[in-house]
């Protein structure tokens, strides 16, 4: 229709409107699809072969408590503001400064999209004796297409994938328990902790803290902050723990950390490939969706167009990404918790009132150097002993609040100086005028 304006239903560079808000059921399914990630099962397999059952339970509960708290806080902020991670970064990093945050997040997510495509394509090609590249292109195209249709498509796909992976995981775990000789025998299979508790906890938190930083990209669609927080916490304590448990139980029973190897031993090759494929698909949809929002903040191009571009680039370079880029992606992932920490600190401790103003009328500073200093502090802290992600979060938050306070106090001091100078100048003018009057 002539004159009709095109609407961006994904709200790439604007707050989510009331018409785009979703209820608890839709948000829970989307967040479950986000946390039901095959890579988590691989981490669970590593933990299952290196921890006693009691230590494993403690690690999973503690790790998901940390992840759940971190992501729930970000979910609350996004639901209150209806803004994505990248638009929230404008407040703390500045308008141009937010491009730095978006570039790191976008580059990381595009990379993981390509890596995950190959993760699925390799077993499919090997099982059916197909050349690898046609499989990669087909899978990349299908995943890109579903992400193109946005959050509604993610919800539909997750409605299929989440129950499927839950059923398969439970069935595989039952076979593993039976193979081990019963549940009690399973709990006794690892008698010592060969992995240190802090190392294991770092693995649990690190497995999803990067993705967790992008929680606002999805929870901004929640009708209320309560829906955002509850759906996020439930997803991590249900989805994440289940995925860890599926991998850990199989790892304990068979001594194999890779869930794919476990399912091959169980005769679940085809079924496992289909269900794990759906699982990777939902995760990749979230990945390319989040990446496109990141680059939309930089380029101001609508998210849907960037989904196609990012999908093509990630698919074309997927084999390179798979063989050479994983280390670099992991390196970038160590930086990402600092970004979320600075957003949290800015919202709650530095300029919460600024978030209440209408976004379209908000004037952002171009670059906030305090945020960049805090980011570097977080990166340095991540290399200190302990849990790297927690160190990065704590270091960034403390540094940002401190620097913002010093900047504010410095600005107030300068304002007092300017006021005093203005007052002195006015007094001087008044004195000079009065003197001239008396002389006249």
């Amino acid at each position: 229709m002539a004159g009709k304006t095109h609407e961006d239903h994904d709200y790439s560079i604007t707050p989510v409107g009331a018409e785009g808000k979703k209820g608890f059921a839709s948000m829970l399914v989307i967040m479950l699809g986000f946390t039901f990630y095959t890579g988590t099962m691989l981490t669970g397999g590593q933990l299952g072969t290196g921890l006693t059952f009691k230590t494993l339970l403690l690690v999973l509960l503690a790790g998901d408590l940390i992840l759940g708290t971190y992501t729930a806080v970000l979910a609350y902020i996004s639901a209150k503001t209806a803004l994505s991670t990248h638009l929230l970064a404008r407040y703390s990093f500045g308008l141009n400064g937010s491009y730095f945050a978006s570039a790191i997040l976008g580059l990381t997510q595009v990379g993981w999209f390509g890596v995950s495509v190959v993760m699925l394509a390799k077993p499919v090609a090997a099982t059916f004796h197909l050349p690898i590249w046609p499989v990669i292109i087909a899978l990349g195209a299908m995943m890109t297409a579903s992400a193109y249709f946005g959050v509604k498509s993610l919800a539909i796909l997750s409605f299929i994938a989440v129950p499927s992976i839950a059923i398969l995981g439970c069935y595989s775990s039952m076979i593993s328990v039976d193979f081990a000789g019963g549940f009690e025998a399973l709990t006794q299979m690892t008698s010592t902790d060969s992995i240190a508790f802090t190392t294991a906890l770092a693995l649990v938190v690190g497995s999803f803290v990067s993705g967790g930083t992008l929680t606002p990209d999805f929870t901004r669609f929640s009708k209320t902050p309560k829906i955002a927080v509850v759906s996020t916490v439930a997803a991590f304590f249900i989805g994440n723990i289940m995925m860890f448990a599926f991998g850990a139980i199989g790892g304990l029973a068979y001594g194999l950390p890779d869930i794919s190897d476990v399912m091959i031993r169980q005769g679940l090759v085809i079924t496992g490939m289909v269900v794990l494929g759906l699982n990777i698909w939902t995760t990749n949809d979230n990945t390319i969706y989040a990446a496109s929002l990141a680059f939309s903040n930089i380029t101001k191009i609508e998210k849907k167009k960037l989904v196609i571009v990012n999908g093509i680039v990630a698919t074309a370079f997927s084999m390179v990404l798979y063989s050479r880029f994983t280390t670099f992606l992991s390196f970038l992932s160590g930086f990402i918790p600092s970004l979320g920490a600075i957003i949290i600190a800015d919202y709650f401790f530095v300029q919460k009132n600024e978030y209440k103003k209408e976004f379209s009328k908000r004037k952002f500073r171009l670059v906030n150097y305090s945020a960049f200093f805090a980011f570097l502090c977080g990166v340095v802290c991540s290399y200190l002993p302990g849990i790297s992600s927690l160190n990065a979060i704590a270091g960034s938050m403390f540094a940002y609040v401190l620097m913002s306070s010093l900047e504010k106090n410095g600005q107030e001091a300068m304002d007092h100086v300017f006021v005093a100078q203005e007052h002195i100048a006015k007094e001087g003018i008044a004195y000079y005028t009065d003197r001239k009057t008396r002389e006249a």
Side-chain angles (χ1 to χ4, degrees), residues 72-92:
V73 173
L74 288 172
Y76 174 84
I77 295 172
S78 68
K80 289 287 287 186
T81 61
L83 299 174
S84 67
T85 306
H86 317 285
L87 298 186
L88 288 171
R90 293 186 183 183
Y91 290 87
S92 49

Side-chain angles (χ1 to χ4, degrees), residues 112-113 116-117 143 280-289:
W112 282 124
F113 181 93
S116 297
V117 167
M143 293 176 186
I280 291 174
W281 193 338
T282 57
T283 303
N284 254 12
D285 265 8
N286 285 301
T287 296
I288 206 69
Y289 177 88

Side-chain angles (χ1 to χ4, degrees), residues 386-411:
I387 302 169
S388 59
S389 299
L390 279 182
N391 290 343
I393 291 171
S396 295
M397 290 185 71
F398 177 79
Y400 183 69
V401 173
L402 176 62
M403 290 298 297
S404 298
S405 177
L406 291 174
E407 182 183 8
K408 181 180 179 181
N409 291 336
Q411 185 62 50

Side-chain angles (χ1 to χ4, degrees), residues 236-286:
F236 275 93
F237 273 91
I238 296 173
N240 217 37
I241 285 182
M242 285 180 70
M243 295 300 283
F244 272 119
F246 295 156
I249 291 172
L252 270 171
Y254 293 92
L256 299 170
D258 193 326
I259 188 65
S260 299
D261 293 333
V262 171
M263 289 188 176
I264 289 172
R265 289 282 298 274
Q266 295 174 336
L268 299 174
V269 181
I270 302 300
T271 305
M273 192 181 303
V274 171
V275 176
L276 291 178
L278 277 173
N279 178 251
I280 291 174
W281 193 338
T282 57
T283 303
N284 254 12
D285 265 8
N286 285 301

Side-chain angles (χ1 to χ4, degrees), residues 80-361:
K80 289 287 287 186
T81 61
L83 299 174
S84 67
T85 306
H86 317 285
L87 298 186
L88 288 171
R90 293 186 183 183
Y91 290 87
S92 49
F93 283 87
L95 181 61
N96 293 343
S98 71
Y99 301 161
F100 168 76
S102 293
I104 290 180
L105 292 167
L107 178 61
T108 306
Q109 298 307 301
V110 167
W112 282 124
F113 181 93
V115 170
S116 297
V117 167
V118 178
M119 283 175 60
L120 180 57
K122 288 186 75 174
V124 170
T127 301
F128 296 101
H129 307 289
L130 299 172
I132 187 70
W133 268 110
V135 178
I136 289 175
I137 292 171
L139 290 174
M142 289 189 292
M143 293 176 186
T144 301
S146 59
Y148 177 83
F149 294 101
V151 170
K152 183 177 180 180
S153 176
L154 296 183
I156 294 171
L157 194 59
S158 295
F159 267 114
I160 301 170
V162 169
S164 299
I165 192 67
I167 293 169
L168 177 67
C170 289
Y171 182 61
S172 174
S173 296
M174 288 171 59
I175 296 175
S176 297
V177 171
D178 184 63
F179 178 82
F183 186 75
E184 185 175 350
L186 181 75
T187 62
Q188 303 299 321
M189 294 192 75
T190 303
S191 57
T192 58
D193 294 324
S194 60
I195 301 177
F197 184 88
T198 53
T199 302
L201 190 58
L203 283 172
V204 173
V205 176
S207 68
F208 216 85
V209 72
S210 296
T213 304
L214 292 165
T215 297
D217 291 355
F218 308 101
T219 52
R220 65 196 173 113
F221 287 94
S222 302
K223 286 183 178 180
T224 66
K226 183 178 180 181
I227 288 174
V229 171
V230 174
S231 61
T232 299
V233 172
F236 275 93
F237 273 91
I238 296 173
N240 217 37
I241 285 182
M242 285 180 70
M243 295 300 283
F244 272 119
F246 295 156
I249 291 172
L252 270 171
Y254 293 92
L256 299 170
D258 193 326
I259 188 65
S260 299
D261 293 333
V262 171
M263 289 188 176
I264 289 172
R265 289 282 298 274
Q266 295 174 336
L268 299 174
V269 181
I270 302 300
T271 305
M273 192 181 303
V274 171
V275 176
L276 291 178
L278 277 173
N279 178 251
I280 291 174
W281 193 338
T282 57
T283 303
N284 254 12
D285 265 8
N286 285 301
T287 296
I288 206 69
Y289 177 88
S292 300
L293 284 177
F295 291 119
S296 182
N297 179 48
I298 299 172
T299 64
K300 306 301 181 291
I301 297 173
E302 184 186 347
K303 186 229 76 174
K304 280 192 172 185
K305 296 176 182 177
L306 290 172
V307 163
I308 297 174
V309 173
N310 289 332
I312 292 172
V313 170
T315 302
F317 290 95
S318 58
M319 286 299 289
V320 176
L321 295 169
Y322 185 81
S323 61
R324 295 187 178 92
F325 201 46
T326 306
T327 302
F328 181 51
L329 288 171
S330 299
F331 178 67
L332 286 178
S333 296
F335 294 172
I336 292 177
S338 293
L339 301 177
I342 291 169
I343 290 173
I344 292 171
D346 188 69
Y347 182 85
F348 286 104
F349 305 115
V350 177
Q351 52 174 352
K352 185 171 184 177
N353 289 332
E354 293 298 319
Y355 290 80
K356 297 177 183 178
K357 298 178 182 178
E358 188 175 342
F359 182 79
S360 60
K361 297 179 181 179

